[in-house]
Amino acid sequence: MTKKVTIYDLAELLKVSPATVSRSLNDHPSISEDTKKRILSAANKHGYRTNKFAANLRRQKSNTIGVIVPRLNSYFMSTVLAGIEQVANKVGYNLIISQSLESEKKEKINAKTLLNSGVDALLVSLAYETADYEHFKKYTSRKIPLLFFDRVFDLPNCPTIVIDNRAAGYEATEHLIEQGCQNILHISGNLNRKVYKNRFKGYKAALGGNGIKFTMDNLLETDLDPKKVDDALDYIKKSKKKIDGIFVSSDNFAANLIKELKKSGFAIPEDLKVIGFNNDPVSEIISPNLTTIDYPGFKMGVLAGESIIAHLNGNINLQSTNSIVLRHELIVRESTS
C-alpha cells in the first residue's frame, strides 16, 4: 500500500469490521487477544498511524498547552519554559510556544491561533505593550484554564505566579543604601507592567524608609534593551547630582551598562555600585561580578506546569487560587561590595 493506510483498509484486508479494527487498536477488552495481535501486526506491517488529531477531537482534548512569552532569547524565560516542559512531558502533554515580541497585536494573534488550535490551557507572560485584555476573555468564557506568570494581570478566575517584586525591589535598594549610596538611580522596565511597577514601589519604599528623598530624576524608564544602554550612560553622565548607586531591573542591561561605564572611566564599585535582577549567567561573567536578585525561573515554570495540569486532571480548581508567590534571594557580588 502506497497511500495513507486507514482502519477501513485494514478491515478490508483482514476481513473484519472497521469497528473491530478500531477497538483492537485501542485495546478494547471485548476483542480477543488473538484478533488484537493479528490486527496490530497488520497495522505495523502496512504502516498504519493513529490519527491523533481526530481522536482528540472526539475526546475534546488535545493534550497540548499553549504558552505565550514576550521573547525566547532571555535566560530567565528559557528556564521557565524548561520547567513547564519538564512537567508537561512527564504526563504526556506537549507545548505550543509562541512569542509576542513585546507586541500587543502579535500577542492577540498568538492567543487566537492557540485557541483555534484547541489547546487545553494557556500560560502567559504579558508583552510590554499589552493594555487590553479582551483576547484572554475568550479563554475564560469557554472555561479554558488560563494562568499568568512573571508579567501578570489580575483577571477574574485566572491565577498568577510571581515573586514579591516589591519586597525584592526594597531589598535591592536597601542593600545599596547599606553600602553607602545616597543618590540611587532606578533603571526600570515599562511601569505599565506590574512586575516593574512593584519593583519601583519597593525601591521608593526603601528610599523613604531610610530618609532619602525620591525625585523623578532618580527614575529612568526604558524597554531594557541592552542595545540601548548608551541612553542610560548619557543619562548618568549628565545627572546634575552625582549618581553613586544603580538598581537595574535586568541583569543583561546591567552587565552591558557596567561595560560601558568602565569604558567611560567609572570604577565599579568605587564610583558607582550596581545591582541587577534575575541572576542571569551573565551576572557571573561580567567583571566585576554583578550583585543581583535571584528570580527562580525554573521553579516558576515547574509550578506553572504542575498547577495547570493538576487543574486539567481535576485535582485542583485553579479558579479558587489567586496568586502564588515564590521566594527571591539577594546575591551579593563584587559590583556593590
Side-chain angles (χ1 to χ4, degrees), residues 235-290:
Y235 191 89
I236 294 163
K237 286 180 176 179
K238 292 175 181 176
S239 175
K240 294 176 183 177
K241 184 180 177 183
K242 181 180 179 296
I243 294 167
D244 55 9
I246 307 174
F247 166 34
V248 189
S249 268
S250 158
D251 281 344
N252 208 355
F253 194 95
N256 281 273
L257 180 59
I258 285 175
K259 283 169 59 180
E260 297 307 312
L261 284 167
K262 287 168 65 180
K263 286 179 187 176
S264 297
F266 289 90
I268 313 293
E270 293 81 6
D271 298 329
L272 267 170
K273 301 186 192 317
V274 183
I275 184 169
F277 210 103
N278 280 353
N279 197 22
D280 190 293
V282 72
S283 62
E284 294 188 89
I285 296 169
I286 190 68
S287 179
N289 296 163
L290 180 64

Side-chain angles (χ1 to χ4, degrees), residues 184-241:
I184 301 168
L185 173 67
H186 177 41
I187 301 178
S188 172
N190 186 336
L191 291 176
N192 287 327
R193 291 275 65 85
K194 195 172 181 180
V195 59
Y196 299 119
K197 185 176 183 179
N198 285 340
R199 288 175 199 174
F200 173 54
K201 285 181 176 179
Y203 157 81
K204 281 183 69 178
L207 294 184
N210 286 274
I212 300 173
K213 184 180 178 182
F214 167 78
T215 71
M216 289 306 296
D217 290 339
N218 293 113
L219 172 66
L220 180 60
E221 188 176 355
T222 75
D223 61 4
L224 295 174
D225 183 348
K227 295 176 183 175
K228 300 176 184 176
V229 75
D230 286 345
D231 294 339
L233 182 64
D234 289 341
Y235 191 89
I236 294 163
K237 286 180 176 179
K238 292 175 181 176
S239 175
K240 294 176 183 177
K241 184 180 177 183

Side-chain angles (χ1 to χ4, degrees), residues 111-142:
K112 184 178 180 180
T113 300
L114 290 169
L115 185 69
N116 293 339
S117 298
V119 295
D120 295 330
L122 183 66
L123 306 175
V124 183
S125 183
L126 293 165
Y128 271 129
E129 292 182 3
T130 302
D132 172 51
Y133 306 94
E134 285 299 315
H135 48 300
F136 296 121
K137 291 181 180 178
K138 292 177 182 177
Y139 284 82
T140 55
S141 66
R142 299 185 189 187

